[in-house]
Amino acid sequence: MRTAYQYRLRPTKQQVIELDRWLAMLCAQYNYLLADRFDWYERNRSRINACPLVCHLPELRDNPDYYSQKKTLPHLKKTHPWYGEIYSQVLQDVVKRVKVTFDRFLKGDNKGKCSGKPRFKTLNRYRTFTYPQMKEGCLQGKLINLPMFGKVKVVWHRPLPDGFKIKTASITKKADGFYLTLSLEDKAVPDIKPDFNPDKITGIDVGLKEFLTTSEGETVAIPQHYRKSQKRLRVIQKRISRRKKGSNRRERAVKQLGRQHKKVADKRKDFHFKTANWLLSKYDIVAHEDLNVKGLANTRLAKSVLDAGWSSFLSILTNKAENAGLLVIPVSAHNSSQDCSNCGEKVPKELHIRWHDCPLCGCSLDRDHNAAINIKNRAVGQSVLKGAIRSAEILYGGMAGFSRVTQKVEYALSSSADDNLISMQVKLVS
């Protein structure tokens, strides 16, 4: 099993200068390798669908793949000796990042979706470098020993789980300092099996009046973290605009603005984690609308939609449910607010009408509550839910065995505002 923990680093002033220097050198190498890929791409592609019989064909060059670019690193250290101060595997990870980025541009990801053209990174956009391997014994009390860098102080706000080994370590620069992300693995921990009660199911309708409404009528108020912080952000932004570009005072104001934005993001993420934990502690199956949030973010409600952070919340909810052996089902959002949850009759209404009144059956309830019930009803008939229940029956030997699992894995999902990744403590209970 793999999981990740994130901790804050407390480097000295000299170590901060050295970390910034490493990031600057790695950023330059990333841009050079990406430019090499673009040079091959421009030379070897045809800009038109057809060409005349007599035309000039430029000399083609070999494709700079992962291995050929990795072979250039020894020569780089000879021509630029200061790159020899960086750990070799950290440099190799830069080559891997270029490969993954360019492959997504040309070939697409696992789902076949191609990304946009890769961009060259500025120093402000290149913020992370990774150690692909870490030796045993790298943790020494409150310090971590990073190869060819030295010992750095770490704020261990929680202990590492017993039995897990450190596989990779990533150093990330954020607005308020540097953070360490440890990827952990323990092969002795079994894979997560589905363990849910099909009767404990709910549907949720996310919105802007209330953050979400369940099919049981429960509501979660929307916090509007960004809107509440707009006054403070406006003051700092005006302070930046009044200061001269390139000056130290402007740079300090920009850092202050970054810290304020990070506070807003941390509050929103903490709210998302707590809401997801509350839902999964009450229900084993959660159904939600399959929303096109990017499309909604291009409307007049863009600020409110992005402030709510629906995509981030649904992603956190899905990951937490998967780690706990529960189920999250996306269903079609078509007419979920228009159809009556009691009789199925379509009752057209504008967005400002927040109450559902069915003239056919007399059903009268809140618009969001009606939509949540429709979402739950659609999930009950979904093939995803039926297939999950069928596989659980096969796994545990029928519904009787499914409900009486004598040995199960107990998952304690914990999260905090300082963490970017879901952390999971696992223990076997006989």
Side-chain angles (χ1 to χ4, degrees):
M1 177 176 289
R2 293 289 290 264
T3 185
Y5 277 30
Q6 189 173 79
Y7 301 93
R8 184 160 186 172
L9 292 177
R10 295 291 187 186
T12 62
K13 290 184 179 180
Q14 187 61 36
Q15 287 176 335
V16 169
I17 295 173
E18 190 66 15
L19 285 171
D20 288 334
R21 183 167 165 268
W22 275 36
L23 286 173
M25 289 192 290
L26 294 172
C27 177
Q29 180 63 10
Y30 176 90
N31 290 334
Y32 173 79
L33 296 174
L34 188 60
D36 187 39
R37 295 257 183 169
F38 280 139
D39 180 64
W40 165 83
Y41 179 71
E42 293 296 333
R43 286 191 185 186
N44 289 267
R45 70 167 183 157
S46 176
R47 300 175 182 270
I48 52 179
N49 296 329
C51 60
L53 294 177
V54 179
C55 63
H56 172 71
L57 293 177
E59 183 180 355
L60 301 180
R61 55 167 295 192
D62 295 333
N63 182 8
D65 58 0
Y66 171 70
Y67 298 101
S68 65
Q69 288 192 325
K70 210 161 84 165
K71 289 179 181 178
T72 63
L73 296 179
H75 180 68
L76 172 69
K77 294 180 180 179
K78 291 181 180 178
T79 56
H80 302 77
W82 50 89
Y83 275 93
E85 302 173 11
I86 301 179
Y87 191 52
S88 60
Q89 291 187 2
V90 174
L91 278 172
Q92 293 170 10
D93 185 71
V94 176
V95 182
K96 184 179 179 181
R97 288 177 66 173
V98 174
K99 173 188 178 299
V100 172
T101 303
F102 207 76
D103 284 350
R104 284 180 180 172
F105 168 54
L106 293 182
K107 304 176 183 177
D109 55 10
N110 295 333
K111 298 180 180 179
K113 184 178 180 181
C114 293
S115 304
K117 186 177 181 180
R119 294 188 295 180
F120 293 106
K121 302 281 188 181
T122 61
L123 291 179
N124 293 330
R125 288 184 176 272
Y126 198 94
R127 295 172 173 266
T128 303
F129 65 87
T130 303
Y131 287 90
Q133 292 180 339
M134 292 295 290
K135 297 181 181 178
E136 293 185 7
C138 61
L139 303 180
Q140 302 173 7
K142 295 183 178 181
L143 305 175
I144 183 170
N145 188 13
L146 301 175
M148 293 191 70
F149 184 84
K151 298 178 181 178
V152 187
K153 185 178 179 181
V154 186
V155 180
W156 300 105
H157 64 278
R158 60 178 172 181
L160 293 173
D162 296 332
F164 281 80
K165 294 182 179 179
I166 300 176
K167 301 298 291 182
T168 67
S170 298
I171 312 297
T172 304
K173 182 180 181 181
K174 297 187 179 182
D176 59 343
F178 289 89
Y179 288 82
L180 169 72
T181 304
L182 299 177
S183 178
L184 310 174
E185 182 183 28
D186 188 358
K187 296 181 179 179
V189 178
D191 293 334
I192 299 170
K193 303 280 176 61
D195 182 13
F196 57 84
N197 183 358
D199 298 327
K200 296 178 67 175
I201 180 173
T202 188
I204 60 171
D205 178 67
V206 293
L208 298 178
K209 182 184 175 184
E210 303 289 346
F211 181 73
L212 65 84
T213 304
T214 67
S215 54
E216 284 70 32
E218 301 166 307
T219 60
V220 177
I222 190 164
Q224 294 185 332
H225 295 297
Y226 179 75
R227 287 188 179 274
K228 292 178 181 178
S229 303
Q230 272 189 301
K231 185 176 180 180
R232 176 61 179 164
L233 291 170
R234 188 184 301 114
V235 171
I236 304 175
Q237 191 65 58
K238 286 183 178 180
R239 189 177 300 163
I240 293 174
S241 64
R242 287 194 299 265
R243 294 182 179 178
K244 185 178 179 180
K245 290 186 178 181
S247 65
N248 292 332
R249 296 177 73 242
R250 182 186 175 92
E251 184 180 352
R252 288 196 296 269
V254 170
K255 290 181 180 179
Q256 186 182 12
L257 180 66
R259 288 193 295 269
Q260 187 64 30
H261 275 293
K262 188 177 184 300
K263 285 183 181 179
V264 176
D266 287 343
K267 288 179 183 178
R268 185 186 296 116
K269 184 174 60 178
D270 182 61
F271 168 73
H272 288 166
F273 271 108
K274 289 177 179 177
T275 306
N277 273 328
W278 171 75
L279 274 175
L280 296 177
S281 64
K282 294 190 67 175
Y283 306 102
D284 288 0
I285 303 171
V286 180
H288 66 86
E289 292 176 304
D290 190 9
L291 296 173
N292 178 19
V293 180
K294 285 187 177 180
L296 293 171
N298 291 328
T299 63
R300 294 183 179 181
L301 300 174
K303 183 187 291 187
S304 298
V305 170
L306 295 175
D307 190 13
W310 295 334
S311 292
S312 175
F313 168 71
L314 294 177
S315 176
I316 290 171
L317 181 66
T318 303
N319 289 332
K320 278 188 165 292
E322 184 179 341
N323 291 335
L326 307 179
L327 193 61
V328 172
I329 304 175
V331 300
S332 174
H334 183 64
N335 285 339
S336 61
S337 297
Q338 309 293 333
D339 295 343
C340 179
S341 58
N342 188 34
C343 64
E345 181 71 16
K346 184 176 180 180
V347 184
K349 43 188 170 291
E350 298 293 334
L351 185 61
H352 67 276
I353 301 175
R354 307 308 304 173
W355 197 260
H356 169 78
D357 284 309
C358 181
L360 190 65
C361 66
C363 178
S364 178
L365 71 167
D366 185 78
R367 175 196 182 111
D368 295 337
H369 187 193
N370 175 71
I373 297 174
N374 283 328
I375 293 168
K376 176 183 176 180
N377 294 337
R378 292 177 185 181
V380 170
Q382 274 255 7
S383 58
V384 176
L385 178 58
K386 294 178 180 178
I389 295 175
R390 192 179 301 112
S391 62
E393 291 177 2
I394 296 172
L395 179 64
Y396 295 114
M399 287 305 297
F402 177 56
S403 60
R404 298 192 309 270
V405 183
T406 56
Q407 186 177 7
K408 62 185 287 189
V409 181
E410 189 179 83
Y411 302 91
L413 300 174
S414 59
S415 62
S416 67
D418 293 334
D419 300 326
N420 283 341
L421 300 172
I422 301 172
S423 60
M424 182 167 48
Q425 298 171 344
V426 185
K427 63 178 181 177
L428 292 177
V429 180
S430 58

